[in-house]
Amino acid sequence: MPWLSIPFSDLETKRALNSKFEIEAIPFLVILQPEDNKYEAPIHDGVELLNRFGVQAFPFTKERLEELEMEEKEKRESQTLINLLTNHDRDYLLGHPAAKQVPVASLVGKTIGLYFSAQWCLPGVKFTPKLISIYQKIKQMVVHRGNEDGFEIVYVSSDRDQAAFDSSFNSMPWLALPLGDPAIKILAKHFDVKGIPCLVILGPDGKTVTKHGRNLINLYKENAYPFTEAQVDLLEKQIDEEAKSLPKSKYHAGHRHELGLVSEGTGGGPFICCDCDEQGSGWAYLCLECGYEVHTKCVRAVDRGSIVDS
């Protein structure tokens, strides 16, 4: 590190700083303004600001951050599929076979998923087959409905070399940005992608519908399409209605304790399913003894007598 440091042995100062700034997790970056600027409070979310704005965040004043927020708002309002996915040197995406070039302009008016992933990412490797299945079902559903807008996914790769990219992309039925294309880093920053796999959904007008496409796929499968707030609200109401007929408790083949039915309003909330390792929210079965939690659809019910404590 090219900066200064509190001595490792100075535990008193480190404890005092942890207490003063209420540090609960790391990395954590506090920004203090010069002493002559008495009107600027310390900034506690320096890590997030650097991830979002980089060096442009300096000098971290209220005025500068407001300027950057306004610039981001203007970018979102002027966002189109063309300015997101093209640049001066490229106006196409890769199709199948890999040498095929598909004009970005041909996707205008469609609902688009930007799929950020990589071959080295184990959660991505596990999620991709599920996404392929859902993608194919949505495509069939769109054709059946006679929907002229259509649906497509674009692979935004973080693969480390061409061989890894080719291996990943050859298993996918959708389009891709070329490996190493400048748009990849720009898109990751624009959508504040902090981890992969991540599925960002764009509407037919090119505006962002949601950055939580992966979670919606896990929760609602192909029924999540077109991923709008109205569709999610409809699905949540359906699930709330269906939950009325679910057993209040169950024994699950993957766990020895009894699991109780919970929702966000009764002790539940966002979670990672202990059975399928994917995100979840809303209704779930939760073990109050040890925190084990699963999607309602992941429960493999068994009789209590067949559970053997280990």
Side-chain angles (χ1 to χ4, degrees):
M1 301 175 182
W3 46 73
L4 309 178
S5 174
I6 301 294
F8 180 76
S9 59
D10 190 353
L11 298 179
E12 182 179 351
T13 298
K14 289 192 284 187
R15 289 195 188 103
L17 290 172
N18 282 340
S19 175
K20 179 177 178 63
F21 296 112
E22 299 179 344
I23 310 300
E24 295 181 352
I26 55 174
F28 196 99
L29 178 62
V30 178
I31 308 293
L32 304 177
Q33 296 294 341
E35 290 185 8
D36 58 351
N37 190 345
K38 300 178 181 179
Y39 302 101
E40 295 280 351
I43 292 173
H44 290 68
D45 55 350
V47 171
E48 181 181 352
L49 291 175
L50 288 179
N51 282 332
R52 287 178 63 190
F53 305 123
V55 69
Q56 299 299 319
F58 183 81
F60 304 97
T61 59
K62 181 180 179 181
E63 291 76 11
R64 180 54 182 155
L65 297 180
E66 286 177 349
E67 288 176 4
L68 293 170
E69 292 282 359
M70 184 60 66
E71 290 176 9
E72 276 203 343
K73 181 180 178 182
E74 291 173 354
K75 285 181 180 179
R76 288 194 297 270
E77 291 175 348
S78 63
Q79 175 180 305
T80 68
L81 198 64
I82 298 298
N83 63 33
L84 283 175
L85 298 183
T86 66
N87 54 44
H88 294 299
D89 302 317
R90 179 189 50 74
D91 62 358
Y92 62 87
L93 299 168
L94 300 180
H96 294 288
K100 181 181 179 182
Q101 296 183 0
V102 178
V104 173
S106 68
L107 302 182
V108 173
K110 296 177 182 288
T111 297
I112 303 296
L114 301 179
Y115 182 43
F116 297 81
S117 191
Q119 188 186 53
W120 51 262
C121 172
L122 182 57
V125 171
K126 294 176 66 175
F127 180 69
T128 296
K130 177 186 293 185
L131 184 58
I132 290 172
S133 174
I134 300 302
Y135 167 83
Q136 292 168 338
K137 290 177 181 178
I138 291 176
K139 297 281 274 190
Q140 293 171 0
M141 187 168 63
V142 167
V143 171
H144 180 71
R145 291 178 181 176
N147 189 329
E148 296 180 0
D149 293 339
F151 176 63
E152 193 51 79
I153 289 178
V154 177
Y155 180 42
V156 186
S157 167
S158 294
D159 289 304
R160 291 170 176 153
D161 54 50
Q162 191 65 45
F165 171 81
D166 291 342
S167 177
S168 295
F169 184 46
N170 287 340
S171 72
M172 300 171 178
W174 45 71
L175 309 177
L177 282 165
L179 179 68
D181 192 277
I184 292 174
K185 289 185 177 180
I186 294 172
L187 288 170
K189 182 177 179 181
H190 180 75
F191 292 110
D192 194 25
V193 176
K194 292 181 175 141
I196 56 174
C198 174
L199 182 64
V200 175
I201 304 296
L202 309 177
D205 60 356
K207 301 295 190 292
T208 307
V209 174
T210 180
K211 294 191 285 187
H212 305 292
R214 175 189 174 194
N215 191 29
L216 295 180
I217 289 288
N218 284 326
L219 288 173
Y220 309 120
K221 301 182 180 179
E222 66 271 17
N223 295 321
Y225 179 84
F227 307 94
T228 58
E229 285 187 20
Q231 180 67 7
V232 173
D233 287 343
L234 176 63
L235 292 169
E236 287 179 347
K237 289 177 182 177
Q238 291 176 352
I239 289 177
D240 286 344
E241 191 63 29
E242 292 169 1
K244 294 178 181 179
S245 62
L246 290 175
K248 298 302 181 186
S249 64
K250 277 188 175 183
Y251 281 92
H252 170 53
H255 192 66
R256 67 181 184 274
H257 298 144
E258 185 178 25
L259 306 180
L261 183 65
V262 297
S263 69
E264 290 192 28
T266 60
F271 64 95
I272 300 296
C273 177
C274 294
D275 189 78
C276 70
D277 294 326
E278 287 292 353
Q279 299 163 299
S281 62
W283 293 95
Y285 279 101
L286 171 68
C287 175
L288 296 178
E289 292 189 51
C290 60
Y292 185 95
E293 193 164 8
V294 292
H295 295 115
T296 57
K297 62 183 174 63
C298 288
V299 173
R300 301 187 302 281
V302 293
D303 294 331
R304 181 175 182 177
S306 64
I307 300 291
V308 179
D309 288 341
S310 59

